Amino acid sequence: MKRTHYALVALAWVLWIRTQGPAVDDWSGMGGFSTEQQCMANVKEKIDTWKQFKDAKFGKNTVTFTGNNTTMTYLCLTDKEDPRKAPPKDAR
């Protein structure tokens, strides 16, 4: 009997998007990637998508729409990091 072995691909990087505006401040996980380079390439693709909008202003990993005062920030973090969790408070 022939055995088949399947390799599991670990997704080590997660693309997060933070949407901030007058009525919203929300984080969403957008997908997983096996390398940071793949994740960053996806950030570039997403930022490039917004270049068609005339009210869009760009930073390294952000796009701000001046018409509705909304900013979207893209971050690639390891799968162990979650930007929705507040950092521990300093115990002074």
Side-chain angles (χ1 to χ4, degrees):
M1 180 196 283
K2 188 176 185 179
R3 290 188 180 190
T4 305
H5 297 279
Y6 296 95
L8 296 176
V9 177
L11 299 176
W13 292 89
V14 177
L15 173 58
W16 289 92
I17 180 173
R18 183 178 190 184
T19 305
Q20 295 173 284
V24 66
D25 188 351
D26 186 48
W27 286 97
S28 300
M30 299 295 291
F33 301 90
S34 57
T35 68
E36 182 180 17
Q37 291 77 18
Q38 290 173 334
C39 187
M40 292 304 294
N42 196 264
V43 168
K44 183 181 177 330
E45 287 176 20
K46 295 206 178 317
I47 297 270
D48 287 347
T49 300
W50 298 115
K51 291 191 175 175
Q52 63 184 317
F53 293 87
K54 302 220 183 286
D55 71 331
K57 305 292 180 200
F58 299 93
K60 179 180 176 186
N61 64 333
T62 64
V63 59
T64 299
F65 298 97
T66 58
N68 64 3
N69 197 30
T70 299
T71 299
M72 295 182 350
T73 304
Y74 296 92
L75 290 176
C76 290
L77 299 174
T78 66
D79 59 358
K80 303 213 181 327
E81 297 174 277
D82 187 338
R84 299 170 297 182
K85 293 181 181 176
K89 293 186 179 188
D90 193 330
R92 286 186 199 183

